[in-house]
């Protein structure tokens, strides 16, 4: 199978990433959009979080407008609100809850009233009547008026003042006058001194489409209790308040529900139709109180001043769940929380023609799995991104450009640089050392010393396998390539007698456990059992132990590494990112192949402490930390006292792996190695070296380019400078270089660049 | 889909000489291709052997830009 054949954008195929149920199951786990606890507890659905946010900014007018939206008589609500949100406020768990009723009162006093009369509303054709006054019917009449129903309000009282005196006696002074004005300036037709009798009701009700009554008048009419949800009395279309309506909040809530029933009845619908979510609900929101200090309410005394109200509102912690976003650089970078991200990835995969806007998001997750640990519900973004990659590869929608370099690097590890040998003198080995491709690339000396040490101290023979565990193919979503690499490893291990694998890399250990099985140990475990070799380093200083993301959830591995580090004299410092909370260094998931800046940000976030060195047990972490200027070392560098050199570049990493293989073949197995050489020499200027590193161009690519130039003569000379430009197509990439002939069979390369497009003349 | 168009002057000073044929490159039609899409462009081409010179700023500019757009199609 040709894994490196470029796809065609004119080839349309698509398979769903998840079923609707699978998508819903994942999305349900994310509680970011859940309402705040105060909002969930409030029957009137006042969003306390947004309300406090306005007051925190000193914007009392917006806060007042929120209250005016939830009820037609906000001062009645604010004066009599029992504040059920207080019980559910997360602050109540550690101190006092936010005093919402006091803030409501402050907002109404300090905020400016709505300017103007608002939009002109055309009255509805259906009309409503409300019989009998009580707090519920007063508010209901106003609710119906707000809904533009021509509303008639029949009361036995003689004046608005009398209504308020009887049913809202808690209102005084300015508050009373404001609410009185609100009632009298409304379009409600109030019929004072009405004789509220059954005869009057029977005579009048025929004039209206919707009939409502106070609880007292309903009882006088002899109607039974209304339905708990619709508030419509059984067998009739009369709307009345529920029996449980005993306080101001209850009256406001019932009036709102009654107005919804009035709407349904006016439309000729069943009043239980499409009512949506009413009343208090249970919020699944998660709020982390770890960094929240307990605090007490600011006393209201005679009412908050603006400063006091701001002080009280500032106690609100603005409950929201952003555990994953706070921890994950990837989510911060894409500015999306998992639920939205998942939906967009799902839609991205579904696109048959057009731009796949989420490809970069899919390909820049480091697949480290930290989100699953920090999320209170275990949301696994990595699983979704990996599945999306596999899906897009399976239907040929994933461009090779994203991961081709890494995949070719894996093929190099499992091709030219691959080695599988038993210890000399053994046909079958009890153990096999699998250091991992990055160890050979970054610290080949440590690998060599480790292998020789294991051979000398473990009985039964120790084989050696130098290669890639296939993590690269897995991360790229290339399952076929992953299966081929796994099959190759299985075959190699079989030839060594299926020995116990001693892994030198946590990712290899995880991959081999999943793909191959059998007994697998980390080298740290083996070294703890056998003891340290002679000549190991004694560090004797403070050092931060960075856990590999592949060790997440593997407590025995984390413990073994700590034990080994302590035996090396390390004074280990644990951080917030220790053990299962660890985050990625930027190597995982092939992020750096897609977005180098993001990979760097990941490394900077993970190794944020600049004062102490970092100890790692994954060579990629060690390398990535060193790249951002942190002092970092792999534990094997300490065990074998062989510090790795400065961060090797992409070409040097390949060279190191090949040289390690060839050196071991010569030294340990006495095998002659034929090394490929060219009959010319290339010098790269510093600028060219930097370009090659940034543009992912290997020195072998440039050697091939000049070799091609020497064989074909194809190229171009710039007559003014004498510089030569030539190119060569290798696989899916055309490499270009500017160079000069600096001597016989010697070239100096000054510029390198590449593109993936093909070019031909017509 | 915007096409790659000629946006620079092809060898205004006649300095580019084909290494193999020893003659100057001339402005000629060439076709860039990627992921089964083709874009005709005027490029410096050797009239004899057909060597096409792609300058660095074109490769890392417009060509890269079009590649990225197509990769996400």
């Amino acid at each position: 199978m040709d894994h490196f054949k470029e796809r065609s954008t004119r080839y349309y195929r698509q398979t769903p990433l998840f079923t609707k149920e699978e998508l819903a199951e994942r999305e349900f786990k994310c509680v970011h959009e859940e309402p705040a606890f105060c909002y969930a507890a409030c029957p009137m659905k006042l969003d306390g979080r947004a309300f406090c946010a306005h007051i925190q900014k000193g914007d009392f007018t917006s806060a007042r407008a929120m209250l005016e939206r939830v009820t037609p008589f906000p001062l009645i609500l604010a004066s009599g609100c029992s504040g059920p949100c207080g019980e559910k406020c997360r602050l109540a768990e550690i101190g006092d809850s936010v005093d919402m009723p006091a803030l409501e009162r402050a907002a109404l006093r300090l905020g400016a009233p709505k300017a103007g009369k608002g939009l002109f509303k055309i009255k509805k054709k259906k009309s409503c009547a409300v019989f009998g006054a009580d707090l519920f019917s007063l508010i209901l009449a106003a609710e119906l008026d707000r809904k533009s129903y021509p509303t008639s309000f029949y009361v036995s009282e003689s004046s608005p003042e009398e209504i308020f005196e009887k049913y809202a006696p808690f209102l005084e002074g300015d508050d009373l006058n404001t609410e009185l004005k609100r009632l009298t300036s409304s379009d409600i037709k109030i019929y004072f001194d009405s004789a509220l009798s059954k005869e009057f009701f029977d005579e009048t009700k025929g004039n209206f489409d919707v009939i409502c009554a106070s609880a007292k008048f309903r009882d006088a009419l002899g109607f039974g209790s209304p339905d708990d949800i619709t508030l419509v009395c059984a067998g009739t279309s009369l709307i009345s308040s529920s029996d449980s309506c005993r306080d101001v909040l209850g009256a406001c809530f019932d009036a709102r529900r009654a107005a919804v029933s009035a709407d349904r009845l006016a439309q000729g619908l069943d009043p239980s139709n499409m009512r949506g979510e009413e009343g208090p609900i249970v919020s699944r929101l998660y709020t982390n109180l770890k960094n929240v200090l307990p605090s007490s309410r600011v006393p209201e005394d005679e009412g908050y001043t603006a400063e006091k109200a701001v002080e009280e509102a500032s106690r609100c912690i603005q409950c929201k769940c952003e555990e994953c976003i706070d921890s994950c650089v990837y989510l911060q970078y894409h500015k999306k929380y998992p639920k939205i991200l998942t939906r967009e990835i799902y839609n991205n995969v579904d696109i048959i023609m057009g731009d796949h806007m989420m490809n970069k998001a899919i390909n820049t997750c480091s697949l480290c799995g930290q989100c699953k640990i920090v999320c209170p519900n275990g949301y696994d973004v990595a699983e979704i991104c990996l599945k999306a990659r596999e899906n897009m590869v399976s239907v040929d929608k994933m461009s090779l450009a994203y991961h081709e370099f890494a995949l070719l690097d894996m093929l190099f590890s499992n091709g030219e640089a691959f080695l599988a040998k038993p210890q000399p003198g053994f046909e079958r080995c009890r153990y096999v050392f699998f250091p991992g491709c990055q160890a050979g690339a970054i610290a080949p000396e440590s690998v060599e010393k480790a292998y020789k040490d294991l051979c000398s101290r473990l009985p039964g023979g120790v084989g050696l396998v130098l290669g890639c565990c296939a993590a690269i193919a897995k991360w790229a979503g290339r399952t076929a390539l992953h299966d081929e690499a796994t099959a190759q490893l299985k075959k190699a291990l079989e030839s060594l007698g299926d020995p116990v694998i001693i892994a030198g890399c946590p990712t290899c250990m995880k991959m081999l456990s999943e793909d191959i099985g059998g007994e697998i140990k980390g080298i740290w475990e083996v070294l703890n059992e056998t003891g340290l070799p002679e000549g190991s380093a004694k560090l004797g200083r403070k050092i931060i132990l960075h856990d590999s993301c592949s060790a997440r959830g593997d407590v025995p591995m984390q413990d073994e590494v700590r034990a080994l580090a302590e035996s090396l004299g390390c004074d280990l410092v644990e951080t917030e990112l220790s053990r299962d909370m660890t985050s990625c260094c930027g190597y995982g998931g092939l992020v750096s192949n897609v977005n180098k800046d993001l990979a760097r940000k990941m490394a900077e976030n993970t190794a944020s402490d600049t004062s102490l060195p970092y100890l790692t047990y994954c060579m990629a972490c060690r390398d990535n930390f060193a790249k951002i200027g942190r002092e970092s070392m792999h534990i094997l560098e300490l065990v074998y006292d062989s510090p790795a050199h400065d961060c090797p570049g992409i070409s040097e990493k390949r060279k190191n792996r090949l040289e390690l293989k060839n050196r071991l073949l010569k030294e340990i197995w006495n095998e002659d190695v034929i090394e490929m050489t060219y009959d010319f020499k290339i010098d790269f200027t510093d600028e060219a070296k930097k370009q090659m590193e940034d543009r992912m161009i290997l020195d072998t690519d440039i050697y091939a380019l000049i070799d091609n130039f020497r064989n074909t003569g194809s190229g171009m000379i710039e007559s003014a400078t004498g510089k030569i430009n030539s190119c060569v197509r290798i696989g899916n990439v055309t490499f270009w270089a500017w160079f000069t002939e600096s001597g016989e069979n010697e070239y100096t390369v000054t510029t390198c660049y590449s593109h993936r497009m093909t070019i031909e003349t017509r | 889909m915007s096409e790659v168009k000629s946006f620079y002057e092809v060898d205004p000073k006649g300095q580019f000489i084909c290494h193999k044929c020893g003659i100057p490159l001339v402005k000629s039609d060439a076709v860039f291709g990627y992921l089964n899409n083709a874009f005709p462009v005027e490029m410096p081409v050797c009239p004899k052997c057909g060597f096409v010179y792609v300058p660095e700023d074109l490769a890392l500019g417009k060509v890269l830009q079009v590649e990225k757009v197509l990769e996400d199609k």
Side-chain angles (χ1 to χ4, degrees), chain A residues 429-448:
Chain A
C429 298
R430 189 183 293 178
Y431 301 98
V432 63
F433 181 41
F434 193 97
C437 58
Q438 292 306 300
I442 296 159
E445 277 178 39
S446 297
V447 174
E448 185 178 344

Side-chain angles (χ1 to χ4, degrees), chain A residues 7-10 355-356 359-360 399 401-402 695 709 713 715 717 719 736 738 753 756-758 760 762, chain B residues 15 17 19 30-37 40 45 51-54 56 60 66-67 70-73:
Chain A
R7 71 195 185 96
S8 162
T9 56
R10 292 163 197 279
D355 291 333
H356 293 75
N359 277 5
K360 288 198 176 56
S399 175
Y402 286 116
R695 299 170 184 178
F709 169 75
I717 301 173
S719 55
W736 293 83
W738 279 104
Y753 55 98
R756 297 182 68 85
M757 283 203 180
T758 55
E760 51 196 42
R762 276 188 166 172
Chain B
Q15 287 190 353
I17 313 294
H19 178 267
V31 180
F32 273 108
Y34 193 46
L35 310 181
N36 211 5
N37 298 272
V45 178
F51 173 81
V52 186
Y53 165 57
V54 179
E56 185 185 5
L60 302 180
V66 175
E67 281 176 5
L70 286 173
E71 279 156 14
D72 289 340
K73 283 283 172 200

